Amino acid sequence: MWRIIEKEIDLNGKSIKTYGIGAETIEINDISTHKSEVEKFVNLLNRLGASEMHAYDLADDFMER
């Protein structure tokens, strides 16, 4: 099952929340600063039963749109 990952990063002295995706054996951090968009993406991954094997390609596709 896919989940959302929340992290805080320091960007030029300013703290910013970023969001990524994770599953059983993989985590991809900092794919967006828009939590609602990443939540929709995670829901889609779960609904489609997306494989962790394709995680980086899926994250790339998400970030390109």
Side-chain angles (χ1 to χ4, degrees):
M1 176 162 271
W2 292 93
R3 66 186 184 288
I4 193 168
I5 298 169
E6 183 177 313
K7 292 204 173 222
E8 283 205 32
I9 62 169
D10 181 58
L11 186 61
N12 299 323
K14 185 177 180 183
S15 181
I16 296 177
K17 283 189 181 182
T18 64
Y19 304 93
I21 59 173
E24 188 173 323
T25 63
I26 194 164
E27 286 190 357
I28 303 173
N29 297 304
D30 308 329
I31 65 171
S32 180
T33 57
H34 301 283
K35 185 176 185 176
S36 63
E37 293 300 316
V38 178
E39 285 175 335
K40 289 177 190 174
F41 182 48
V42 165
N43 288 336
L44 178 63
L45 294 174
N46 285 324
R47 190 169 56 248
L48 297 176
S51 170
E52 291 182 45
M53 182 173 69
H54 302 291
Y56 289 101
D57 291 332
L58 295 166
D60 283 343
D61 291 347
F62 170 81
M63 291 186 289
E64 288 178 5
R65 56 179 189 105

